[in-house]
């Protein structure tokens, strides 16, 4: 099987990016390789949510191989890509190509989208003054990635506590009741999906099934249909120890003897509150074929972060779970919130050139750079899905008829984030225990149909210098200390029911992998290195 090698780079260096034309051309050549032999060679490929561990930084100079896809591209997309190859002009990535259609209320709660933020209200005008400030500095690094903040408490996982399906469903109903603004009828109707026979067959584990159903009325609600449908064989926990994806947290993989991919979730997370796993299920549903690129991972990270943000806005105490997966969700969202433009908008790419994880050992200045995508010039392309279409509609308010996991989709998400309003973002920042500071004055909101007056310049706050030292090596399980007293009852998530698992933890570990394997898993050098 023929493959195309593209831009080697190392973890501790700024990647040297090829031009967009070359990347697109290479991607097109690789995508055209649809032979049976190529498909067979892909059976062992897997990709998923992986965050860099320090051990990943050793001599990572292998090249990234773009592999053949198992499903063909549309004639329109092939024509577009061919035009890119034969043209010297840049691909036009303009804002707002698809017309915006406001989302109408659904009669079935399973069909409801979260509300879109389209215009600042009085509360947002006030919040935006805070969001115009430099990146927020964390006050409690124990809520964020341990390897980005080595002084923080080492990772732990929640202990497993046996729970019945009835107990989990009761917790799910309580979570959904909050989302439907206290409407218990809608919540109970939506929670019935937990007992859906098709979903139970695909996802027999009740914790994982509750995590999926909990995506109702979120930007990731389309993932429910993915897990119910024919894309994946099954969703289950798996012991990742000693396997190529050992440092991952969830993977999409074609297991031996299967014709469809499976989603595997690290067995260390069996004791987690199901709400903490919901963002991970959003991410993994993006990976539906045999190829993953940095661009695909970045789009999956964006969806995951926005859904995590929505869940924290509903229940801020979830940010203080203290477990490994909770802290990694927090770290991703933290870096996205800090990747703001000068107007205070959350951006994948921003114009501020300020370090988005202050006081950490990560020099990244925008959210996209954690996946080696500094600008749209670096984007690659893989096929999209109905799920992506649903997520784009929920986040941007735009109907995109045939979205791809490419620069055009990144551009749309970058410039049209309408799922989290400024006041909500500020609330989330406080839930993450970030120092949002103060502003000199807050302008009053403009009356309806009146332009908003120019806000007064906020008092600047200093952003401490960020060290650029390499991450420390992970502690082994035997070296990991017990949780500190700082992890008090006040820092644990508000319980849905008394039977829901407490947020205590056990040790996690880290093992190095060759870069070629890491990239196949979506754990490549520099890829979301905020663990």
């Amino acid at each position: 099987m023929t493959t195309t090698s593209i831009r080697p780079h190392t973890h501790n260096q700024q990647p040297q990016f090829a031009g967009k034309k070359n990347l697109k051309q290479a991607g097109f050549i690789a995508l055209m390789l649809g032979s049976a032999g190529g498909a067979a060679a892909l059976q062992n490929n897997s990709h998923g949510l992986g965050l860099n561990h320090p051990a990943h930084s050793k001599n990572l100079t292998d090249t990234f191989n773009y592999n053949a896809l198992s499903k063909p591209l549309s004639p329109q997309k092939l024509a577009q890509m061919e035009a890119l190859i034969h043209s010297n002009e840049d691909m036009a990535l303009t804002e707002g190509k698809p017309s915006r259609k406001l989302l109408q209320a659904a009669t079935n709660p399973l069909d409801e989208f979260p509300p879109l933020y389209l215009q600042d209200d009085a509360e947002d005008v006030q919040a935006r003054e805070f969001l115009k400030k430099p990146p927020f500095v964390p006050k409690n690094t124990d809520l964020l990635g341990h390897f980005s903040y080595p002084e923080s408490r080492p990772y732990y996982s929640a202990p497993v506590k046996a729970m019945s399906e009835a107990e989990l469903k009761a917790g799910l109903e309580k979570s959904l009741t909050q989302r439907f603004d206290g409407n218990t009828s809608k919540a109970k109707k939506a929670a019935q999906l937990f007992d859906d026979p098709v979903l139970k067959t695909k996802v027999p584990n009740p914790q994982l099934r509750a995590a999926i159903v909990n995506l109702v009325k979120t930007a990731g609600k389309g993932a429910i249909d993915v897990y119910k449908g024919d894309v994946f064989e099954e969703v289950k926990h798996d012991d990742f120890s000693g396997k190529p994806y050992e440092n991952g947290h969830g993977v999409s993989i074609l297991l031996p003897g299967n014709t469809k991919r499976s989603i595997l979730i690290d067995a260390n997370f069996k004791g987690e509150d199901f709400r903490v796993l919901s963002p991970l299920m959003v991410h993994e549903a993006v990976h539906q074929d045999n190829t993953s690129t940095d661009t695909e991972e970045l789009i999956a990270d964006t969806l995951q972060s926005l859904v995590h943000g929505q869940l924290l806005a509903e229940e801020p105490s979830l940010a203080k779970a203290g477990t490994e997966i909770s802290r990694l969700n927090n770290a991703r969202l933290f870096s996205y919130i800090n990747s703001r433009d000068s107007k205070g908008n959350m951006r994948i790419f921003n114009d501020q050139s300020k370090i988005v994880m202050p006081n950490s050992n990560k020099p990244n200045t925008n959210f996209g750079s954690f996946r080696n995508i500094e600008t749209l010039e670096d984007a690659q392309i893989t096929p999209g899905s109905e799920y992506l279409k649903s997520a784009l509609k929920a986040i941007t308010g735009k109907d995109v008829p045939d979205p791809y996991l490419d620069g055009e989709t990144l551009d749309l998400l970058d410039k049209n984030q309408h799922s989290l309003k400024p006041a909500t973002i500020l609330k989330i920042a406080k839930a993450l225990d970030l120092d949002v500071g103060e502003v000199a004055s807050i302008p009053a909101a403009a009356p309806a149909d009146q332009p908003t007056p120019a806000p007064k310049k906020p008092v600047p706050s200093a952003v401490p210098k960020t060290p650029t030292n390499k991450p420390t090596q992970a502690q082994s399980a035997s070296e990991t200390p017990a949780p500190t007293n700082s992890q008090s009852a006040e820092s644990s998530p508000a319980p849905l029911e008394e039977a829901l698992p407490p947020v205590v933890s056990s040790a996690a570990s880290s093992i190095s992998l060759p870069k070629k394997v890491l990239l196949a898993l979506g754990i490549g050098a520099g890829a979301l290195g905020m663990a």
Side-chain angles (χ1 to χ4, degrees):
M1 181 183 73
T2 306
T3 59
T4 304
S5 295
I6 298 180
R7 58 172 178 82
H9 56 267
T10 61
H11 175 69
N12 293 311
Q13 297 176 346
Q14 290 294 328
Q16 301 298 314
F17 295 109
K20 175 166 51 187
K21 179 185 173 185
N22 292 336
L23 281 171
K24 292 285 186 178
Q25 181 171 350
F28 176 78
I29 294 170
L31 293 170
M32 289 295 289
L33 300 173
S35 65
L42 288 168
Q43 288 191 354
N44 290 324
N45 284 356
S46 63
H47 49 272
L49 169 63
L51 306 182
N52 273 5
H53 290 274
H56 295 178
S57 62
K58 294 187 293 186
N59 301 321
L60 303 180
T61 55
D62 294 278
T63 55
F64 180 33
N65 292 322
Y66 280 74
N67 295 306
L69 291 176
S70 57
K71 63 180 182 180
L73 299 173
S74 67
Q76 294 85 355
K77 205 66 180 183
L78 288 174
Q80 178 190 10
M81 295 172 73
E82 278 191 307
L84 284 170
I85 290 175
H86 298 297
S87 170
N88 291 323
E89 297 180 1
D90 283 340
M91 177 180 180
L93 294 172
T94 58
E95 181 178 1
K97 275 188 177 179
S99 61
R100 172 179 295 164
K101 294 183 180 178
L102 297 182
L103 307 176
Q104 299 179 357
T107 56
N108 185 339
L110 295 178
D111 295 331
E112 287 194 28
F113 280 89
L116 279 173
Y117 151 71
L118 298 174
Q119 184 175 351
D120 283 0
D121 58 21
E123 189 181 26
D124 295 321
V125 171
Q126 296 180 13
R128 192 174 289 280
E129 290 303 298
F130 288 88
L131 298 176
K132 290 177 182 178
K133 293 162 63 68
F136 300 139
V137 177
K139 294 189 289 185
N140 182 5
T141 57
D142 285 349
L143 302 183
L144 304 174
H146 174 58
F147 300 114
S148 296
Y149 293 93
E151 76 284 359
S152 66
R153 187 178 63 240
Y155 285 139
Y156 296 93
S157 295
V160 177
K161 180 179 179 180
M163 293 186 66
S164 68
E165 294 209 4
E167 290 171 322
L168 275 166
K169 186 177 180 182
L172 177 63
E173 286 182 4
K174 187 169 184 178
S175 176
L176 295 178
T177 297
Q178 189 173 6
R179 192 163 310 147
F180 285 108
D181 300 319
N183 189 321
T184 55
S185 176
K186 282 187 174 182
K188 286 182 178 294
K189 185 173 182 179
Q192 289 175 5
L193 184 60
F194 181 78
D195 298 319
D196 181 89
V198 175
L199 189 62
K200 289 186 78 168
T201 300
K202 296 273 187 175
V203 193
N205 182 278
Q207 177 215 34
L208 298 180
R209 196 162 68 251
I212 291 170
V213 179
N214 191 45
L215 297 175
V216 168
K217 202 181 177 183
T218 72
K221 80 178 191 70
I224 298 172
D225 290 333
V226 174
Y227 291 120
K228 277 187 63 178
D230 294 328
V231 176
F232 297 115
E233 184 77 26
E234 59 186 344
V235 180
K236 63 180 181 179
H237 285 292
D238 183 55
D239 183 358
F240 285 13
S241 302
K243 296 179 180 176
Y245 41 86
E246 180 161 16
N247 287 326
H249 301 91
V251 295
S252 167
I253 186 171
L254 186 62
L255 296 173
N258 288 349
T259 58
K260 300 174 184 175
R261 303 182 74 79
S262 296
I263 297 296
L264 307 181
I265 304 299
D266 191 343
N268 284 327
F269 303 151
K270 285 184 177 180
E272 296 287 345
D273 184 322
F274 67 82
R275 296 171 293 177
V276 175
L277 294 181
S278 292
L280 179 56
M281 308 312 297
V282 169
H283 182 111
E284 293 308 323
V286 173
H287 301 308
Q288 298 184 18
D289 54 43
N290 295 318
T291 299
S292 179
T293 65
D294 288 337
T295 301
E296 181 170 325
E297 292 290 349
L298 177 54
I299 291 170
D301 293 340
T302 303
L303 305 188
Q304 178 176 1
S305 297
L306 292 173
V307 170
H308 184 50
Q310 182 181 351
L311 298 179
L312 291 192
E314 285 179 5
E315 185 47 74
S317 61
L318 277 176
K320 296 177 172 60
T323 58
E324 178 180 6
I325 188 61
S326 169
R327 290 171 64 181
L328 296 175
N329 283 339
N330 289 347
R332 177 180 286 103
L333 179 57
F334 163 55
S335 66
Y336 191 10
I337 286 176
N338 270 350
S339 183
R340 301 189 297 274
D341 63 20
S342 58
K343 297 179 180 179
N345 299 304
M346 277 174 62
R347 299 289 297 270
I348 297 172
F349 313 105
N350 68 72
D351 57 1
Q352 297 284 67
S353 298
K354 293 183 173 67
I355 290 172
V356 297
M357 297 187 77
N359 293 343
S360 76
N361 50 30
K362 305 300 181 191
N364 305 67
T365 57
N366 65 51
F367 186 64
S369 65
F370 287 101
R371 288 293 188 185
N372 300 313
I373 308 293
E374 295 277 0
T375 69
L376 291 172
E377 295 289 324
D378 308 318
Q380 307 102 12
I381 184 170
T382 47
S385 62
E386 286 298 311
Y387 168 47
L388 177 62
K389 181 178 178 179
S390 168
L392 291 178
K393 184 176 182 180
I395 294 166
T396 71
K398 299 177 187 291
D399 282 309
V400 184
D402 187 25
Y404 275 67
L405 295 156
D406 59 3
E408 198 164 355
T409 293
L410 275 178
D411 190 52
L412 183 66
L413 288 167
D414 179 43
K415 296 175 179 176
N416 298 274
Q417 191 287 111
H418 297 302
S419 61
L420 298 178
K421 55 187 287 185
T424 302
I425 296 169
L426 187 62
K427 179 181 180 181
I428 295 167
K430 293 177 180 178
L432 293 172
D433 209 4
L434 307 182
D435 187 357
V436 301
E438 298 178 356
V439 293
S441 61
I442 304 291
D449 302 323
Q450 294 291 328
T452 302
K456 294 182 180 180
K457 187 175 181 180
V459 175
S461 63
V463 179
K465 287 188 177 180
T466 302
T468 56
N469 54 296
K470 295 180 182 179
T472 59
Q473 294 294 330
Q475 295 186 25
S476 67
S478 61
E479 297 171 331
T480 304
T484 65
N485 292 332
S486 62
Q487 190 179 8
S488 63
E490 292 180 357
S491 68
S492 60
L496 293 169
E497 298 290 339
E498 284 194 349
L500 281 183
V503 217
V504 206
S505 359
S506 55
S509 61
S510 168
I511 290 187
S512 61
L513 290 173
K515 181 181 176 212
K516 194 170 185 180
V517 175
L518 297 175
L519 283 167
L521 294 170
I523 316 175
L528 200 61
M530 56 186 67

